[in-house]
Amino acid sequence: MNVKAKAKKSIPASRQREVPGQDLKWIGQNMKRVEDPRLLVGEGEYADDIALANMLHAAVLASPHAHARIISIDVSKALALPGVHAVMTGEEVAKVTGPLPCFGSPPVEQRCVALGKVRHVGEPVAIVAADSRYIAEDAVGLIEVEYEQLPVVADLREAVHAKGAAVLHPERGDNNIALQRSFKFGTVDEDFANAKTIVKRTLRWPRSGAQPLETCGAVADFNRGSGKFTVHCNTSMYNYVGWLWAVSLNVPAHKLNIVPTMAGGSFGSKLFLHKVPIIAATLARKTGRPVKYLEDRLENLSSCDHHGSDRYYECELALDADNNMTALKCDVIDDYGAYFQFGIGHHGNALSQITGPYKIRSVEANITAVLTNKCQQGAYRGFGSEVSNFVLERMVDAACDELNLDRLAFRRQNFIKKAEFPYFIPTGNLYDSGDYEAVMDKAVGMLDLEGWRKKQAEALKEGRYIGIGLATCQERSVFSSTEFWSLNNVPGFTLTSSAEGVSVKLDALGNAVVKLQAPFWGNSPETMAVQILAEQLQLAPSAISVAYADTDSGLSGTGPGGSRYTVMIAGALVGASKIIRNKLFLLAGHLLQAGKDKLELRDGKVMVKGTEQGMSIADIAMQAHFFRLSFPDEPEFDTGLDANYTYDHPLTTLPSDDRTDLGIFYPIMGHMCHMPVIEVDIETGKITFLDYVAVHDCGTIVNPMTLAGHVRGGTAQGVGTALYEQYDYDEQGQFRSGSYADYLMPKVMEVPPNVRVGHVETPSPFTEYGIKGGGEGGRMGTPPALAGAIEDALRPLGVRIDALPVTPSKLRGLIRQAQAK
Amino acid sequence: MKTSVSLKINGKSYQDDVEPRTLLSDFIRHHAGLKGTHVGCEHGVCGACTVMIDGKTARSCLAFAVQCQDHDITTVESLGTQEELSPLQQGFWEKHGLQCGYCTSGMLMLATELLEHNPTPTRDEIREAISGNLCRCTGYQTIIDSIARAVEIKAGTALEAAE
Ligand code: FES
Ligand code: FES
């Protein structure tokens, strides 16, 4: 245990107002989602459902080359086509619209339409607005472009050495290294020098992505009279970073109103859209008419700006004589693609839980981010931490194999123990609470491990290969913001808060309207808000409705990302409810002639404690809205019954200047244990699921049903990452995954038929009610669990899994190799 | 060149002058104004756009509207209303068969077809029936639960009616 670190570091006081363990009426219930009825009848308002009068439709000419100079573009034929209203090349766009937002430091310039050079297949080269999408696409086909091809960088290890014409952004220097940094946390050299055993592995994590069923889309309108844009878009963090669109569009932020639409899934990939809305807005300003631009699937696959991590690792794990893990060293090259919008935020994210649930006391991370001729990286469920989970769990399994140790017992020995929380890990992040043994014990119990071991042995006698996997992983939650800049050489824009606001109004009849500063992105924000507000104000859920703020009316807010929303909206709702409760008690106290401290909320009424005397919230609300003169002439009795509240992150501190300590930046720490049982058909390489247990600890649970939904959905995506999915580029940077027939995501036959979900609840001492985030976990545990299960099944053959995805043909290859030995 | 197309969707006629290349999915969404049918890939793999043509499920992104003259089209709007969900919709609500809701209409149409031919399917039969459609959110398990629940609801209603 890192007693030294703990002794000299202080933990800010908890701001928790609602303690865990209360008797709760609505929080913790399997409440049916309030979002569902309208979705079930087809009345969700997704991006393509927005239609404005006189609206035009955009289409994009995409680059067929991975790396080329644009010599000339002839748009005359396209412009001459009837029904076409505008055709804009990169040069024309650049006259009115600036570069896209970039958090990388120093930034890498990206344009919504390529200027001078294309850097990946699918990058926009020209944009068209026409009467219909059909005509716009016809016009795209009439644009003539002359290119001069440049050397292509498609391999991440070669990218490290690229020079000259192969450099994507020469203004940043004669190389394709976006950023290279080394970090040491704790006594790494000493720990490796003293190690009894050092386990080494080379691991490969493939480029996959969120691929929500709805692509990215926007409808933009520009009012020439007011000079103001209105943009409807299916993005998530519009109240947080949407103003950066205004910077790109060269207008002040108050000249841009962003209106959220519902999103047909995001999984991170829509959290900060920029290219799509800015293309729509640029064309709207040009034509003076509203413009809709909705990516088609090829555009989303090849140019969504949200490919996931693509990493090559060389790792070493140090163990002492008692088989305690002491130190971890990772050299990683990460293929960021052609641009660098989030910098190496993904690695910052990973450093929040790089040592997993284990008491590893020192860490070395050498990170090389390279630029290649591919679509750039963005966000996908896990945001880089899912990769470090995979890496660490592979190293743990490797250590067990090399030392012939039991995978369960070794983990148990190395776990941080329940009594040791809050616990600082070597990078400086804090884990708030946890009970890792309880989670693993529950999973083992649910699985009937003994029984499966027996069946495994019997099956082997018949030549059948059953394997049991085990992954015990972290799920950091409640994204703050430090990870985006703390790893940069020049920190750049040093955000220190990512708050979440909410407005709550009780109308004259006592019903509540909650306004979120975030959209519906595919999860359950309305249900969460309703359950929490119902608890806070003791209202019936049917008395609460939820609306979404645009940026004109929105408070400060961040929106979903990094499994933060439920915790943050709970904080905001608790704050807003307190204001409303005070006002209710003030008014009721006056009307009932009772002291405020004598009052309580009970079933939609304000009651005098211990009596049956009281008033309904509806009656008080009516008084609050219309009968000012019934109350004393003091300002606190002024008309209205509403509250705005903005909740800051519950617990963050700043990194040290030398970055030997990254500060507390992702402390609300969930945990999971995944145990799949699979059978491998060694003739075909196909994997069949026989059982799957996933136990998660996300602190206090607001709605077990929706949480289980995340776990199962995330698990299915993890199956995709582990076994099937890959954005595949050839050596020339040609994209080979341009359709759903090529980018293979699991359908029902590829996922476990029954993921049995268990919950352990270790509340956070820092958040309201002790809630932790839980939106990403499934995908953060499944890949290592499956890799371990495959190895376990094929142990008699000695197959080792170092790279994903383990497609049937790749697995056949590994089996063939093993059998040839 | 536009041509007049008139389609019968959910028993109602919708007429518009459209280019012959207009996809059925676009006609349903943008000409008939029925937004419940969603488009995920437009190349026939995801199944989000699934509707019924003459009682059989089909991918509306793979058909031209003109081809569907004189055929009966059924979309999600033919099922229940928010006030009165159909048993399938109710099943999806109770069993958390949706998250983002984008695949849901297609899944509901597949399930409608299944239950018409096989009112009491096994879980494996349900699995088979939805195996061509993608859902990126749920992991499918609760979709199967939802359809199984709809069977129960229907049986319950039938029982009530018989009593
Ligand atoms: S949109 Fe028709 S199958 Fe995907
Ligand atoms: S619920 Fe989102 S794709 Fe199925």
Side-chain angles (χ1 to χ4, degrees):
Chain A
M1 189 182 143
N2 50 355
V3 182
K4 262 198 307 204
K6 224 173 172 179
K8 66 174 192 279
K9 286 172 63 165
S10 64
I11 303 169
S14 172
R15 292 189 286 115
Q16 184 178 62
R17 304 192 209 192
E18 294 289 355
V19 296
Q22 305 175 38
D23 216 358
L24 299 173
K25 186 166 174 191
W26 299 107
I27 292 177
Q29 298 296 320
N30 282 322
M31 196 176 101
K32 293 204 296 289
R33 299 201 321 163
V34 298
E35 292 87 347
D36 285 354
R38 69 186 194 274
L39 297 179
L40 283 162
V41 299
E43 291 290 339
E45 281 266 297
Y46 301 99
D48 191 39
D49 299 335
I50 305 295
L52 304 182
N54 291 320
M55 186 171 77
L56 300 175
H57 299 261
V60 167
L61 173 65
S63 169
H65 300 297
H67 199 193
R69 221 180 297 285
I70 300 169
I71 305 295
S72 65
I73 306 183
D74 181 353
V75 302
S76 54
K77 286 185 194 141
L79 259 180
L81 189 73
V84 171
H85 294 258
V87 182
M88 295 178 86
T89 63
E91 261 174 49
E92 266 169 278
V93 168
K95 286 181 200 149
V96 289
T97 296
L100 298 172
C102 178
F103 293 101
S105 173
V108 171
E109 186 179 292
Q110 183 193 8
R111 301 261 168 183
C112 66
V113 182
L115 185 60
K117 216 161 110 165
V118 289
R119 296 182 180 84
H120 67 87
V121 168
E123 184 165 16
V125 175
I127 50 177
V128 175
D131 285 337
S132 75
R133 176 75 183 229
Y134 290 76
I135 298 172
E137 290 188 16
D138 288 344
V140 160
L142 296 173
I143 300 171
E144 288 164 8
V145 188
E146 197 187 328
Y147 295 96
E148 176 199 324
Q149 294 206 45
L150 293 167
V152 172
V153 185
D155 179 88
L156 84 179
R157 276 188 288 169
E158 283 166 21
V160 177
H161 309 292
K163 293 250 173 297
V167 171
L168 273 75
H169 300 277
E171 68 283 3
R172 299 177 96 249
D174 190 24
N175 60 65
N176 279 328
I177 294 177
L179 193 69
Q180 192 159 39
R181 274 205 84 167
S182 294
F183 297 91
K184 278 189 186 178
F185 305 100
T187 54
V188 197
D189 298 333
E190 199 182 312
D191 290 336
F192 270 95
N194 296 334
K196 166 87 185 311
T197 312
I198 296 177
V199 178
K200 298 183 185 181
R201 281 288 187 281
T202 299
L203 299 167
R204 189 73 175 84
W205 178 270
R207 196 180 198 86
S208 67
Q211 286 303 311
L213 269 202
E214 183 209 30
T215 59
C216 305
V219 177
D221 190 16
F222 180 69
N223 184 311
R224 283 184 177 160
S226 61
K228 184 160 179 166
F229 286 101
T230 302
V231 183
H232 304 258
C233 185
N234 55 11
T235 187
S236 312
M237 290 187 164
Y238 60 96
N239 260 314
Y240 185 47
V241 280
W243 59 277
L244 293 170
W245 297 357
V247 176
S248 294
L249 290 166
N250 287 315
V251 294
H254 68 283
K255 293 287 186 186
L256 165 68
N257 186 29
I258 304 173
V259 186
T261 71
M262 302 189 90
S266 166
F267 319 108
S269 74
K270 289 175 182 156
L271 59 81
F272 180 34
L273 298 188
H274 40 69
K275 192 158 71 198
V276 165
I278 288 172
I279 284 175
T282 298
L283 286 168
R285 178 160 54 188
K286 170 89 176 176
T287 58
R289 291 176 54 177
V291 174
K292 174 186 284 184
Y293 173 46
L294 189 73
E295 291 171 334
D296 66 21
R297 185 51 62 184
L298 173 59
E299 286 162 348
N300 186 264
L301 284 158
S302 63
S303 186
C304 62
D305 296 314
H306 280 282
H307 281 191
S309 298
D310 185 355
R311 299 185 187 172
Y312 172 88
Y313 274 90
E314 286 176 5
C315 291
E316 296 182 20
L317 178 67
L319 294 95
D320 70 12
D322 299 322
N323 296 329
N324 295 311
M325 293 186 275
T326 54
L328 176 70
K329 196 192 286 184
C330 295
D331 287 357
V332 52
I333 307 174
D334 198 339
D335 182 343
Y336 269 85
Y339 300 98
F340 201 42
Q341 59 185 343
F342 296 147
I344 54 170
H346 312 82
H347 292 268
N349 194 306
L351 287 169
S352 71
Q353 56 172 51
I354 190 90
T355 45
Y358 311 113
K359 289 192 275 188
I360 298 170
R361 61 178 178 239
S362 63
V363 172
E364 180 173 335
N366 302 309
I367 304 161
T368 304
V370 295
L371 297 164
T372 62
N373 295 111
K374 299 175 188 171
C375 171
Q376 75 175 326
Q377 278 192 25
Y380 180 27
R381 215 169 194 171
F383 203 77
S385 278
E386 81 285 26
V387 191
S388 66
N389 280 357
F390 169 75
V391 166
L392 182 59
E393 288 299 284
R394 287 282 69 210
M395 294 306 288
V396 165
D397 280 355
C400 293
D401 287 350
E402 284 183 23
L403 297 167
N404 202 15
L405 301 170
D406 177 67
R407 288 181 174 192
L408 286 162
F410 178 71
R411 283 174 167 83
R412 191 184 303 280
Q413 174 189 334
N414 280 277
F415 275 159
I416 301 161
K417 301 292 179 295
K418 189 178 178 188
E420 293 172 303
F421 294 93
Y423 186 93
F424 279 106
I425 69 164
T427 60
N429 193 35
L430 184 80
Y431 292 176
D432 58 345
S433 64
D435 187 351
Y436 304 147
E437 286 185 90
V439 174
M440 192 168 75
D441 288 342
K442 180 154 192 177
V444 169
M446 281 172 68
L447 188 75
D448 182 19
L449 182 58
E450 288 299 299
W452 275 116
R453 284 287 175 218
K454 272 192 209 120
K455 285 183 215 162
Q456 181 183 35
E458 280 157 25
L460 191 59
K461 287 184 207 148
E462 299 163 16
R464 289 171 48 217
Y465 295 83
I466 290 178
I468 303 157
L470 170 67
T472 51
C473 299
Q474 304 301 81
E475 178 180 11
R476 83 287 169 279
S477 73
V478 195
F479 155 75
S480 61
S481 33
T482 330
E483 72 194 74
F484 272 99
W485 53 266
S486 65
L487 303 192
N488 291 342
N489 289 317
V490 182
F493 191 64
T494 55
L495 287 163
T496 65
S497 181
S498 305
E500 200 61 57
V502 74
S503 314
V504 180
K505 179 175 107 175
L506 294 197
D507 67 19
L509 300 178
N511 293 319
V513 181
V514 180
K515 216 170 199 193
L516 306 179
Q517 323 299 311
F520 171 87
W521 69 102
N523 292 9
S524 320
E526 297 173 31
T527 305
M528 293 299 111
V530 166
Q531 286 187 266
I532 295 163
L533 192 70
E535 192 71 59
Q536 279 287 311
L537 295 180
Q538 293 297 302
L539 286 171
S542 58
I544 301 170
S545 74
V546 180
Y548 299 98
D550 56 17
T551 51
D552 271 358
S553 64
L555 304 171
S556 205
T558 304
S563 294
R564 73 194 303 278
Y565 198 69
T566 302
V567 167
M568 295 300 290
I569 197 65
L573 286 166
V574 167
S577 300
K578 192 165 178 230
I579 298 169
I580 289 184
R581 209 167 29 226
N582 276 340
K583 182 89 178 261
L584 283 171
F585 287 4
L586 179 78
L587 303 183
H590 177 78
L591 297 167
L592 295 167
Q593 311 242 305
K596 262 166 64 176
D597 53 337
K598 298 268 171 335
L599 300 174
E600 65 179 359
L601 283 172
R602 226 189 290 156
D603 297 330
K605 296 196 183 74
V606 175
M607 303 296 287
V608 181
K609 282 182 196 163
T611 73
E612 286 312 304
Q613 196 204 354
M615 275 184 88
S616 72
I617 288 179
D619 287 343
I620 304 168
M622 185 63 80
Q623 294 283 334
H625 282 282
F626 300 123
F627 299 99
R628 175 67 183 86
L629 298 184
S630 309
F631 299 99
D633 191 15
E634 308 286 341
E636 68 259 37
F637 291 95
D638 282 352
T639 295
L641 195 52
D642 49 53
N644 288 336
Y645 191 89
T646 302
Y647 178 71
D648 271 300
H649 192 282
L651 179 67
T652 49
T653 63
L654 285 172
S656 69
D657 287 342
D658 64 1
R659 301 295 189 265
T660 54
D661 182 331
L662 297 176
I664 302 174
F665 65 104
Y666 233 138
I668 312 304
M669 192 56 63
H671 181 71
M672 74 197 82
C673 178
H674 278 223
M675 298 191 76
V677 183
I678 58 156
E679 179 168 348
V680 181
D681 179 339
I682 63 162
E683 300 299 326
T684 62
K686 187 172 162 41
I687 287 163
T688 313
F689 287 92
L690 304 178
D691 200 357
Y692 201 114
V693 165
V695 177
H696 283 240
D697 185 350
C698 307
T700 302
I701 300 173
V702 179
N703 185 325
M705 178 183 80
T706 60
L707 178 61
H710 284 310
V711 171
R712 294 198 176 100
T715 297
Q717 289 184 328
V719 169
T721 303
L723 304 183
Y724 301 105
E725 294 175 32
Q726 185 158 27
Y727 290 130
D728 189 23
Y729 288 86
D730 72 9
E731 324 72 70
Q732 284 310 305
Q734 279 304 321
F735 187 54
R736 295 192 285 204
S737 314
S739 82
Y740 275 180
D742 306 293
Y743 187 82
L744 298 177
M745 291 176 288
K747 288 187 173 171
V748 68
M749 293 303 183
E750 284 76 43
V751 300
N754 187 6
V755 176
R756 296 191 288 131
V757 178
H759 300 294
V760 167
E761 295 188 55
T762 312
S764 171
F766 297 97
T767 65
E768 300 304 351
Y769 298 105
I771 304 167
K772 298 184 180 186
E776 297 165 275
R779 183 169 179 264
M780 296 175 79
T782 304
L786 280 179
I790 298 169
E791 268 183 6
D792 188 54
L794 301 180
R795 199 174 301 280
L797 304 175
V799 166
R800 213 162 91 175
I801 304 299
D802 295 325
L804 302 181
V806 194
T807 61
S809 71
K810 283 194 199 145
L811 187 53
R812 262 303 295 153
L814 291 172
I815 293 167
R816 218 178 290 124
Q817 266 175 27
Q819 285 171 329
K821 267 185 213 155
Chain B
M1 258 296 286
K2 290 192 174 178
T3 167
S4 169
V5 171
S6 168
L7 296 189
K8 201 157 113 217
I9 309 176
N10 306 327
K12 206 178 142 193
S13 271
Y14 295 86
Q15 187 279 329
D16 208 350
D17 296 334
V18 300
E19 292 186 57
R21 60 178 171 171
T22 303
L23 299 176
L24 176 59
S25 51
D26 281 338
F27 190 96
I28 293 170
R29 291 182 47 75
H30 300 303
H31 297 271
L34 299 168
K35 296 174 187 164
T37 301
H38 301 144
V39 166
C41 69
E42 278 189 308
H43 52 248
V45 181
C46 74
C49 65
T50 304
V51 298
M52 292 216 256
I53 304 177
D54 297 331
K56 277 173 70 183
T57 53
R59 306 197 161 197
S60 59
C61 74
L62 293 184
F64 294 116
V66 279
Q67 294 175 292
C68 301
Q69 288 261 43
D70 308 320
H71 295 276
D72 262 327
I73 316 288
T74 321
T75 66
V76 69
E77 284 86 355
S78 69
L79 305 177
T81 61
Q82 286 199 60
E83 295 67 37
E84 205 173 332
L85 295 174
S86 75
L88 268 170
Q89 288 164 323
Q90 182 69 27
F92 272 69
W93 194 19
E94 288 177 18
K95 294 294 175 183
H96 193 32
L98 66 158
Q99 289 179 30
C100 80
Y102 209 73
C103 72
T104 310
S105 311
M107 292 290 182
L108 286 168
M109 296 322 283
L110 290 181
T112 302
E113 182 183 47
L114 169 70
L115 298 191
E116 266 166 24
H117 296 107
N118 179 358
T120 52
T122 63
R123 277 187 87 83
D124 277 344
E125 286 167 340
I126 297 174
R127 231 154 83 90
E128 184 69 41
I130 63 163
S131 64
N133 278 22
L134 266 171
C135 172
R136 195 59 164 161
C137 298
T138 62
Y140 304 99
Q141 190 174 333
T142 53
I143 296 181
I144 300 174
D145 296 343
S146 302
I147 299 170
R149 175 70 190 131
V151 172
E152 281 173 21
I153 295 172
K154 279 192 170 179
T157 345
L159 210 65
E160 264 172 44
E163 273 166 11

